[in-house]
Amino acid sequence: MVSTQEKIEKDKFFRDLYLLDSLDDDSPESEVETPIRLAAKAKRQPDQTLDAVQHERAKQITTRGKVGERRPETVPSTVSAVDHTLKKAKVPLPVDAPKKKALPEKRKRAPSTDRELRRRDSEPALTAKSAPSRARRLKTSPSIVVDSAVQTTKRSSEKRKHVTDLSNIKQRKHQLGSKKLPPVPIGEQMLKGLLFYFVPNNDICQARRFRIHKAIQYGAAWANEWCNGITHIIVCDNLDVHEASKEFACKEIPRGPTLVNVNWLIECFSRRAVCDTHWNRFQVSGSEALKETNKEQQQHQSKPLIEHEDSIDKHAVDEETPEGLEANAAECALLDAETESEDELDNAIRDVRSLGSLSIDPSFDDGAKSPGDEPPVDQEPAPFHGDGKARKENAGFMCMEKHDGGKGDNPNEQTIVKLLKMADYYSATGDQWRTRAYRQAVAALRKERRLIRTKQEALTVRGIGDRLAEKIQEIVSIGKLQRLDNAEADPRDKILRLFMGIYHVGFPTASRWIAEGHRTLEDLYQKADLNRNQRIGIEHYEDFQQRIPRAEVAQHAAIVKKALRAADTEAQMIIGGSYRRGSADCGDIDILIFKKDAGLDQIRALMMETVIPELTAQGFLKVALATTHHQDSGSKWHGASALPGSKTWRRLDLLFVPWAELGAALIYFTGNDYFNRSLRLHASRKQMRLNQHGLYADVMRGQGRERITQGRLLEGHDEKRIFEILGVTYRPPEHRNP
DNA sequence: GCCG
DNA sequence: CAGTACG
DNA sequence: CGGCCGTTACTG
């Protein structure tokens, strides 16, 4: 009840916000915009523009018609004045609002300390025509239109249905290829010549279908039935040897072909190369039992980032791994090596040439898959799953568990996708806590191997409470979530997301702008008062919104590396962020800069006085967005870079790291964010604190959480030691993807 | 949103 | 200081 | 009901 009321209140708040502010904003500017120009734009602007801009989160707007039918009521006269004004500005009011005249005070209160300006759920508050028509008008500047390939996606549930055999797959491949998948260049058909047999050998499961499809894209062939010439038997569903053998007529797994689990295929995709099949993590459980020894160690060290086999060996030599990190030295070496040396640079360049234009994994975004987020985990070889007791101990600390983002056949995939969309929606709503809850619920679901059907089943999962349980049941039973449909059809969110997509624009600013009557990026650019960063953010909206192919990240890094080495032959760097976690594409480029035994001052001086000026002069660095201005403080440089000859700016973050803090900095800069938060929360529960500088103990906190004592530094340099002290099993970067 |  | 950003 | 990462770092 309370919550309902609360929602109503919020709702009211929002309506009032729009209405009142629109009134307030009844300034001349509202009418400045020439209708003619706008009209013209509206015409040539497909109404997908907005979607395009938010490609990542917004998915397609499913049912507008439905929403459209509501609230045909006429707007109160008080509003019509506003409406009129806005119409002149070609900016329809995003409100229905029978009760416009509402509390201005509430406006200040509702956002509260926490800017938790969440809006009520439903409230389709739009008139039938306003939604679509507005969407059309809400066009942004032409430059913002995202290539259609990105947004076409989704809507694959139907297509999938037809993918039942090779020919159909080919057909679909063709369809998709023509529509959204840039054909994989011949040179990139890394799986060419391979013939796969899956266990089970069908594409009933969504995830498996997806992989089969993808494997074919990369040149592999799928054997519908057992035949000669099969090169690999790929076991899915985390079946063990025994279970897998049942799938064969002879009840025995044929000897010839290489036997691997599906993780191998997944990694081939993400590495864009045929991975060595001998690693333990690729073995089908049961077969690996034989060589049980050293399993743990191998698990970690056997996860080198096999980007391109040929580059690994060559560059491991040029390693400059800090001695303090022997534990994962190999890994660091490889990571570092990836950007090392001229050879590597060449490789990077070559890779970019061949891969650069290939939008990475468009299929990942395909329908049931979630945007940007990795598909559900399915099969952890981990045996400790069913009991739910082990989890109890570390309740809520996902940092305790392995999350490799395994692209598994998770029965809850459909649910996960919907919930993720909801999370995105709430994120664009400014409600960080709800967003967090949804994401954590998804993380929990990803670890479930059984399909969660009912509310009761859902409730047994930690991280899922009453409300989410109901939603899950709704999703499973009727295949959709009404709330989500409503949300996605809400134009206010579209604008909100659009604005929040600008660099250095958060929810408060975006809301304010909307309240001020701005509806397009052009509005903002011309009329809103923007700071420097925001202006740049708008100018390069599309650039910054785009994902960066892994290979290009390496190339940017290679350029930085070169300049860095030129300035100081002993300086080192590691690419962090999602790159270090093994992603096929990244949102930005994160690089840690450090040097053996060097302090922050030394690193900063080196970078700020030599490297960055050099790279800027070179034309590689385009602009600094957030970086220290004082010569004697600061630890980072945020800005943008572009490859020679490329017009696309990429967000580049450099972190200056003192030698003593390398481990903590690595953890921080590797992420992902939820992993870090989980780790930090875990630390605080153990009377410690973790930040990018180190792990501290004996933290005394006064009233509130005010910290009295700095605490004593426990560890800062050794990444693995930090895990150890925290009592968390070390997890390589690839497994930090909650 | 969930959890204690 | 609030806002934004970083993982 | 309050906490949910960081006394994180940078901007204006």
Side-chain angles (χ1 to χ4, degrees):
Chain A
M1 254 339 151
V2 180
S3 65
T4 302
Q5 190 148 19
E6 189 186 351
K7 281 172 195 159
I8 293 174
E9 255 190 11
K10 303 249 154 145
D11 200 25
K12 221 190 288 177
F13 159 75
F14 255 86
R15 268 180 259 147
D16 297 333
L17 175 68
Y18 286 104
L19 280 178
L20 293 177
D21 286 341
S22 301
L23 282 169
D24 296 345
D25 182 58
D26 195 357
S27 57
E29 283 151 327
S30 306
E31 301 157 273
V32 168
E33 183 79 301
T34 54
I36 294 174
R37 187 174 46 162
L38 282 166
K41 285 180 208 150
K43 229 171 246 172
R44 63 164 193 252
Q45 203 74 13
D47 98 34
Q48 66 182 19
T49 308
L50 273 177
D51 305 303
V53 172
Q54 347 159 348
H55 57 275
E56 276 281 338
R57 312 167 252 216
K59 303 311 151 166
Q60 89 257 50
I61 312 163
T62 44
T63 53
R64 254 187 206 148
K66 181 170 281 174
V67 175
E69 283 158 21
R70 347 188 116 181
R71 299 205 165 277
E73 309 103 291
T74 42
V75 183
S77 57
T78 35
V79 176
S80 49
V82 177
D83 202 19
H84 178 63
T85 302
L86 291 174
K87 265 174 188 161
K88 280 189 199 165
K90 290 296 176 193
V91 181
L93 253 191
V95 196
D96 58 19
K99 36 195 146 180
K100 35 150 295 108
K101 218 46 176 185
L103 16 155
E105 322 87 352
K106 196 163 238 175
R107 231 169 96 205
K108 296 169 200 156
R109 192 173 57 87
S112 79
T113 55
D114 210 324
R115 76 181 88 131
E116 290 285 359
L117 279 184
R118 68 182 97 90
R119 66 202 38 193
R120 86 292 90 189
D121 349 290
S122 52
E123 207 40 283
L126 282 236
T127 66
K129 295 146 199 172
S130 62
S133 62
R134 176 171 312 116
R136 211 170 300 118
R137 287 177 213 158
L138 282 178
K139 45 58 195 132
T140 58
S141 80
S143 65
I144 298 166
V145 181
V146 171
D147 76 287
S148 56
V150 179
Q151 53 198 335
T152 328
T153 67
K154 321 311 149 226
R155 174 71 323 127
S156 53
S157 52
E158 298 147 27
K159 286 179 191 162
R160 281 212 188 90
K161 228 175 282 173
H162 306 302
V163 184
T164 53
D165 63 19
L166 190 53
S167 57
N168 275 342
I169 285 181
K170 278 178 177 165
Q171 185 182 347
R172 178 170 178 244
K173 177 180 171 185
H174 175 69
Q175 289 176 350
L176 295 175
S178 60
K179 261 191 173 174
K180 51 185 229 178
L181 301 180
V184 178
I186 300 297
E188 292 308 318
Q189 304 234 325
M190 62 203 186
L191 303 180
K192 193 133 203 101
L194 302 184
L195 181 57
F196 294 162
Y197 184 88
F198 289 80
V199 179
N201 198 35
N202 61 53
D203 62 354
I204 293 172
C205 162
Q206 206 164 255
R208 189 158 52 246
R209 181 163 48 228
F210 162 72
R211 289 183 194 121
I212 292 174
H213 169 207
K214 198 162 158 184
I216 291 171
Q217 275 189 302
Y218 280 97
W222 173 34
N224 273 16
E225 52 189 44
W226 189 259
C227 62
N228 289 328
I230 288 172
T231 60
H232 294 75
I233 298 173
I234 300 175
V235 178
C236 306
D237 300 335
N238 196 30
L239 299 178
D240 60 27
V241 172
H242 180 63
E243 294 166 318
S245 61
K246 292 178 187 169
E247 299 287 328
F248 294 88
C250 54
K251 302 299 172 198
E252 198 172 296
I253 298 179
R255 299 283 175 171
T258 307
L259 179 68
V260 292
N261 64 36
V262 73
N263 291 327
W264 173 76
L265 186 57
I266 292 165
E267 200 155 316
C268 289
F269 291 152
S270 65
R271 308 296 183 224
R272 308 200 150 285
V274 180
C275 303
D276 198 322
T277 56
H278 81 272
W279 300 110
N280 272 348
R281 65 183 181 286
F282 300 145
Q283 304 310 308
V284 176
S285 50
S287 65
E288 72 186 342
L290 308 176
K291 37 188 175 182
E292 186 61 47
T293 50
N294 304 338
K295 179 183 174 186
E296 187 64 13
Q297 299 151 334
Q298 281 193 27
Q299 174 114 27
H300 294 160
Q301 306 198 344
S302 70
K303 191 83 178 186
L305 299 188
I306 302 177
E307 184 70 301
H308 303 283
E309 312 101 305
D310 49 348
S311 70
I312 294 293
D313 293 332
K314 256 190 283 180
H315 304 300
V317 184
D318 188 12
E319 67 90 13
E320 43 187 15
T321 300
E323 289 74 26
L325 296 177
E326 289 93 351
N328 48 345
E331 179 190 349
C332 290
L334 289 169
L335 279 163
D336 197 58
E338 282 175 15
T339 69
E340 214 73 347
S341 84
E342 271 54 53
D343 276 354
E344 182 55 30
L345 178 59
D346 292 342
N347 279 342
I349 292 171
R350 187 202 57 198
D351 293 343
V352 169
R353 284 211 184 109
S354 51
L355 283 177
S357 58
L358 176 73
S359 111
I360 303 301
D361 271 333
S363 39
F364 259 60
D365 226 350
D366 194 1
K369 297 294 180 185
S370 59
D373 252 68
E374 39 284 308
V377 165
D378 55 331
Q379 47 220 326
E380 306 189 38
F384 28 78
H385 236 282
D387 62 16
K389 187 148 186 190
R391 275 197 296 192
K392 214 85 177 183
E393 299 306 315
N394 305 310
F397 293 109
M398 55 64 85
C399 60
M400 309 290 283
E401 301 162 33
K402 163 186 157 192
H403 294 273
D404 53 5
K407 289 72 176 170
D409 313 288
N410 191 307
N412 298 298
E413 179 147 317
Q414 147 126 330
T415 305
I416 287 171
V417 170
K418 300 278 189 202
L419 293 185
L420 272 179
K421 287 184 183 178
M422 282 300 291
D424 290 338
Y425 161 71
Y426 279 122
S427 164
T429 245
D431 189 337
Q432 56 165 310
W433 304 125
R434 223 173 233 95
T435 303
R436 186 178 183 280
Y438 272 83
R439 292 201 180 285
Q440 294 218 315
V442 167
L445 271 185
R446 283 190 167 135
K447 292 178 298 189
E448 282 298 330
R449 341 156 112 293
R450 56 190 173 129
L451 172 63
I452 306 295
R453 299 167 189 281
T454 67
K455 179 175 176 182
Q456 282 65 37
E457 287 174 345
L459 280 172
T460 66
V461 179
R462 141 166 290 287
I464 295 179
D466 248 56
R467 314 285 300 281
L468 272 170
E470 283 175 17
K471 288 184 175 63
I472 289 171
Q473 189 167 26
E474 180 185 345
I475 291 170
V476 174
S477 60
I478 67 177
K480 64 171 198 169
L481 196 55
Q482 191 56 51
R483 185 84 78 59
L484 180 60
D485 291 343
N486 294 340
E488 291 189 337
D490 188 340
R492 286 172 292 188
D493 295 316
K494 294 176 158 300
I495 311 177
L496 220 29
R497 287 173 185 241
L498 173 70
F499 288 180
M500 285 175 69
I502 302 169
Y503 180 81
H504 216 280
V505 174
F507 181 75
T509 302
S511 315
R512 182 165 48 80
W513 283 343
I514 290 178
E516 287 168 359
H518 302 299
R519 292 294 181 275
T520 68
L521 297 189
E522 231 174 60
D523 281 348
L524 296 180
Y525 198 75
Q526 296 169 0
K527 301 185 288 193
D529 87 300
L530 309 167
N531 63 34
R532 194 182 82 100
N533 288 346
Q534 292 163 344
R535 200 161 285 283
I536 294 170
I538 292 179
E539 286 165 355
H540 293 272
Y541 192 97
E542 193 182 0
D543 287 355
F544 293 164
Q545 206 75 14
Q546 240 166 340
R547 300 290 295 178
I548 310 170
R550 184 182 178 81
E552 185 180 333
V553 174
Q555 201 182 355
H556 283 253
I559 293 173
V560 173
K561 182 85 188 180
K562 199 168 177 180
L564 180 66
R565 280 308 178 78
D568 185 332
T569 55
E570 292 177 55
Q572 307 175 51
M573 57 175 263
I574 291 179
I575 310 174
S578 51
Y579 182 93
R580 187 168 184 239
R581 295 199 308 273
S583 300
D585 52 58
C586 313
D588 62 9
I589 303 157
D590 307 303
I591 301 177
L592 299 95
I593 309 288
F594 57 95
K595 175 182 172 181
K596 187 169 186 329
D597 296 328
L600 176 59
D601 290 339
Q602 199 178 331
I603 303 293
R604 187 199 308 114
L606 172 68
M607 293 302 292
M608 298 303 286
E609 290 166 21
T610 309
V611 180
I612 290 174
E614 161 61 22
L615 288 171
T616 303
Q618 206 172 300
F620 172 68
L621 296 183
K622 297 301 185 184
V623 64
L625 294 170
T627 180
T628 178
H629 293 310
H630 314 78
Q631 283 298 332
D632 52 356
S633 75
S635 57
K636 68 187 186 186
W637 185 93
H638 288 181
S641 60
L643 294 177
S646 170
K647 294 178 129 182
T648 307
W649 287 19
R650 304 298 197 181
R651 285 278 296 100
L652 176 66
D653 295 343
L654 304 176
L655 190 66
F656 310 151
V657 184
W659 183 248
E661 300 176 359
L662 183 55
L666 265 174
I667 290 176
Y668 161 64
F669 228 41
T670 297
N672 65 13
D673 56 349
Y674 280 95
F675 176 80
N676 287 351
R677 297 161 72 144
S678 179
L679 210 56
R680 291 175 181 201
L681 180 63
H682 183 247
S684 79
R685 296 266 166 89
K686 300 189 95 172
Q687 314 300 318
M688 295 185 271
R689 76 190 158 92
L690 174 66
N691 57 27
Q692 53 267 62
H693 301 299
L695 178 65
Y696 301 81
D698 297 338
V699 181
M700 296 192 56
R701 297 177 194 258
Q703 295 188 339
R705 47 200 91 55
E706 191 179 14
R707 207 183 66 242
I708 309 289
T709 314
Q710 276 283 302
R712 145 179 75 87
L713 174 65
L714 291 180
E715 181 59 59
H717 178 72
D718 188 329
E719 187 181 28
K720 198 167 182 180
R721 267 288 287 167
I722 293 175
F723 277 83
E724 220 174 279
I725 298 172
L726 283 173
V728 176
T729 306
Y730 176 78
R731 286 168 47 194
E734 315 81 78
H735 290 170
R736 302 178 196 173
N737 285 310

